[in-house]
Amino acid sequence: MPNKRSGRKTKKYFCPFCEQRLWRLGTPKYHLFYKNATEIRQNTGISAKKAKLLALQNTTYLDPNKWIEAFCCQNHGKLWLLISLQEKGIEYRLAKEKDWLQTNNTLDPRMFNPSVSEFTRKMSRKPCLR
Ligand SMILES: [Zn+2]
């Protein structure tokens, strides 16, 4: 049985500001959810018919191919990227406010309680400790 993993390179992520290599911080993946056929279609690029069907089957549709995850840049500290698995490969960009709203009401972790942000600030002096 052929090993599907062999020959597949690990995806590398780079900082959108300074193009340094980014490291995964191992946070949970905050998957995006869509509430209706229109949202599904706009975000996944599947056909209107299929989107309608998915919307009927699920109250909210979790997109298995799109999520927000934290990365670390040596110069910029913690960055949240929106990862999107496409047929041609992985695409990513900085997560926007609107992307967070799409994560089924997940709170933006950057806004968590003060003790956490205090911790983050301390960490950000040595942003790439793993
Ligand atoms: Zn950077």
Side-chain angles (χ1 to χ4, degrees):
M1 212 164 95
N3 184 358
K4 277 185 184 170
R5 275 165 186 255
S6 67
R8 204 171 138 187
K9 284 184 204 146
T10 314
K11 173 74 182 172
K12 291 190 177 97
Y13 298 86
F14 296 93
C15 178
F17 304 112
C18 63
E19 297 184 349
Q20 283 280 340
R21 175 90 188 269
L22 296 175
W23 303 103
R24 274 201 145 100
L25 285 175
T27 55
K29 294 174 177 178
Y30 298 95
H31 281 273
L32 270 61
F33 284 76
Y34 311 125
K35 288 183 220 68
N36 54 54
T38 315
E39 282 187 5
I40 295 174
R41 197 155 53 87
Q42 282 171 352
N43 289 285
T44 60
I46 59 182
S47 72
K49 200 175 162 190
K50 207 176 166 199
K52 229 174 233 174
L53 205 72
L54 282 170
L56 283 175
Q57 287 166 351
N58 312 279
T59 23
T60 51
Y61 172 72
L62 182 150
D63 191 337
N65 300 321
K66 235 179 224 186
W67 68 88
I68 299 177
E69 197 182 336
F71 288 80
C72 179
C73 166
Q74 282 184 8
N75 302 317
H76 296 94
K78 199 175 187 185
L79 299 172
W80 292 93
L81 296 183
L82 176 73
I83 316 284
S84 158
L85 299 180
Q86 312 277 344
E87 271 175 42
K88 54 183 188 291
I90 296 177
E91 286 183 2
Y92 60 93
R93 59 167 169 78
L94 285 177
K96 296 175 189 160
E97 205 68 36
K98 138 178 166 317
D99 303 320
W100 282 110
L101 293 174
Q102 205 86 59
T103 56
N104 203 31
N105 302 325
T106 314
L107 283 175
D108 184 337
R110 290 173 301 179
M111 295 178 189
F112 277 175
N113 66 58
S115 60
V116 172
S117 55
E118 180 61 29
F119 175 74
T120 313
R121 220 174 303 136
K122 275 181 194 151
M123 290 296 287
S124 68
R125 282 181 211 137
K126 292 176 186 171
C128 290
L129 277 184
R130 279 186 295 162

